[in-house]
Amino acid sequence: MKKVLVSACLMGQKVRYDGNALTQESELFQRLVELADIVTLCPEVAGGLPTPRPPAEIDVADGGAVVAGKGKVISVQQIDVTGHFVSGAQKTLELCKQHNIKIAILTESSPSCGSTLIYNGQFAGTKVSGHGVTTALLRQHGITVFSQFNVEDALAALEL
Ligand code: SF4
């Protein structure tokens, strides 16, 4: 069975900042769960953050800049949580290497897991193009990241 990394919150784990999950119930997602060997992790929890936790956004840039040490992740309380986010991204990459995972389906718009959109750092609900810290690090290491809105493409990439 092919292994794929899936954000823990998409698999029903209550690990989001607000203590909820983002359980996926579409037919395509169920097909993925049946045909693939799912490995789950929440990068933010893996990075040492509690649940629930204050929401955080990437300040100014996107996850690529954070990985490069040129951007920060700041909570709504103005606390710098960059170290937790980078640590979580590194642990996620280690897990992927350990399982030889090449494809991931991560939660869109998260400052860790977003793959095409993230919030703009102003806590105003405004999204901009960009990817989260974990997605940036995984992509730098050749892992293809899809969101929960592109499961069909992920299934095709997995040849399932
Ligand atoms: S860091 Fe990723 S897996 Fe964890 S709650 Fe946020 S979106 Fe879900």
Side-chain angles (χ1 to χ4, degrees):
M1 239 181 186
K2 292 183 178 171
K3 288 190 176 181
V4 56
L5 175 76
V6 179
S7 290
C9 58
L10 298 179
M11 292 299 295
Q13 295 181 30
K14 295 182 174 181
V15 290
R16 298 188 77 213
Y17 73 95
D18 57 5
N20 290 317
L22 202 59
T23 311
Q24 299 298 296
E25 290 172 346
S26 69
E27 277 184 30
L28 275 175
F29 201 85
Q30 294 313 313
R31 192 169 144 213
L32 174 82
V33 171
E34 282 168 22
L35 298 178
D37 186 358
I38 309 290
V39 175
T40 64
L41 185 78
C42 170
E44 291 172 24
V45 171
L49 290 168
T51 304
R53 53 190 172 276
E57 296 187 3
I58 297 173
D59 193 19
V60 183
D62 81 346
V66 176
V67 169
K70 295 177 179 167
K72 291 184 174 182
V73 188
I74 307 291
S75 79
V76 71
Q77 298 166 331
Q78 295 301 302
I79 293 170
D80 186 340
V81 288
T82 308
H84 291 292
F85 275 69
V86 171
S87 171
Q90 289 167 341
K91 285 182 178 161
T92 308
L93 177 61
E94 282 167 24
L95 185 70
C96 288
K97 285 182 176 175
Q98 192 184 326
H99 289 274
N100 196 26
I101 287 171
K102 300 292 182 197
I103 291 173
I105 299 174
L106 304 183
T107 309
E108 189 60 283
S109 304
S110 151
S112 290
C113 295
S115 53
T116 62
L117 291 170
I118 54 170
Y119 289 95
N120 71 351
Q122 302 298 310
F123 296 96
T126 305
K127 294 179 187 177
V128 292
S129 294
H131 52 192
V133 181
T134 292
T135 300
L137 188 64
L138 297 188
R139 282 177 167 162
Q140 284 176 12
H141 288 79
I143 296 166
T144 303
V145 179
F146 298 93
S147 80
Q148 72 270 34
F149 305 118
N150 299 103
V151 177
E152 193 164 9
D153 293 336
L155 285 166
L158 286 159
E159 299 177 344
L160 294 176

